[in-house]
Amino acid sequence: MEKISIQFNSDISKDSTETRIAFYANIGFFIEVAQMLEFNLRKLLCYESSVKEIEKDGLSKESVTKICGEKDEEYVKTYTDKLTLGQLIGKLEENASLSSEVIKLIKKINIYRSFIVHKIFQNNIISGNLSKSETVHHYIETKLIPMTTNAIETNKMLIRIIELYRDDLRKYKAQVGLIDSK
């Protein structure tokens, strides 16, 4: 068996290495899911705005080609401009047709992501609250896992919405002869 090295702060959950590792693993998984949320928001913004613009401007090969090119450039620009999850949420509020409840949930996930990335360990330096495994385990069960579950479910919902817009976009492209309609 290959030996694996894991680095972590041994002041976290001092009395249980297993709880400490679970804490770091769950934080890592939450960050992964939050990154996927960011990725999916980029895609949603691109697909939804493409479809809405095509429906507004009308269906011609030139119009669809132009709109798709512009929206593809906007998508790439979200990366080159290094838009954060918070900035993408702002664009979502301006341009997307998600309900206010969904946007509030996405904001809540982003606030929690910022807390995990920027504050949780700083707060622990001051308070020392995470030194006991009981406290860490409670935090994992009552905060970290539920928020990760919310982020997973939100991602699933966004993917379903993205797929609907993607299907509409493909249908429009096929109608003007830009892709094979098979």
Side-chain angles (χ1 to χ4, degrees), residues 2 8 10 42 61 65 89 97 105 137-138:
E2 188 177 329
F8 46 73
S10 59
R42 291 175 199 277
K61 189 172 190 172
T65 301
I89 293 168
S97 54
L105 178 58
H137 186 271
H138 179 74

Side-chain angles (χ1 to χ4, degrees), residues 75-88:
Y75 175 79
V76 169
K77 195 168 172 11
T78 66
Y79 284 102
T80 57
D81 289 352
K82 299 178 181 176
L83 295 186
T84 64
L85 182 54
Q87 290 168 320
L88 290 168

Side-chain angles (χ1 to χ4, degrees), residues 39-162:
F39 174 76
N40 287 325
L41 290 181
R42 291 175 199 277
K43 288 175 66 174
L44 175 62
L45 286 165
C46 179
Y47 277 117
E48 183 175 3
S49 62
S50 295
V51 168
K52 284 180 174 180
E53 187 123 356
I54 288 168
E55 290 173 346
K56 184 182 83 176
D57 284 0
L59 209 54
S60 72
K61 189 172 190 172
E62 296 76 25
S63 174
V64 172
T65 301
K66 178 180 175 259
I67 290 167
C68 288
E70 289 171 353
K71 299 306 174 183
D72 287 348
E73 286 178 25
E74 286 177 23
Y75 175 79
V76 169
K77 195 168 172 11
T78 66
Y79 284 102
T80 57
D81 289 352
K82 299 178 181 176
L83 295 186
T84 64
L85 182 54
Q87 290 168 320
L88 290 168
I89 293 168
K91 285 188 168 291
L92 193 70
E93 286 182 295
E94 295 170 10
N95 302 313
S97 54
L98 294 177
S99 71
S100 61
E101 293 81 26
V102 172
I103 290 176
K104 282 180 192 175
L105 178 58
I106 294 170
K107 283 181 173 182
K108 184 178 176 181
I109 293 166
N110 185 45
I111 289 166
Y112 188 72
R113 184 204 59 83
S114 293
F115 173 74
I116 288 293
V117 170
H118 300 290
K119 297 288 183 196
I120 193 166
F121 297 106
Q122 291 174 13
N123 289 350
N124 187 56
I125 290 169
I126 296 165
S127 70
N129 288 341
L130 298 175
S131 64
K132 295 181 180 134
S133 63
E134 182 180 313
T135 305
V136 173
H137 186 271
H138 179 74
Y139 184 81
I140 291 168
E141 295 298 321
T142 62
K143 302 278 193 226
L144 198 48
I145 289 175
M147 191 57 75
T148 302
T149 301
N150 283 339
I152 290 168
E153 293 304 315
T154 302
N155 269 317
K156 287 179 183 177
M157 179 204 55
L158 290 176
I159 289 167
R160 288 191 299 272
I161 295 169
I162 290 165

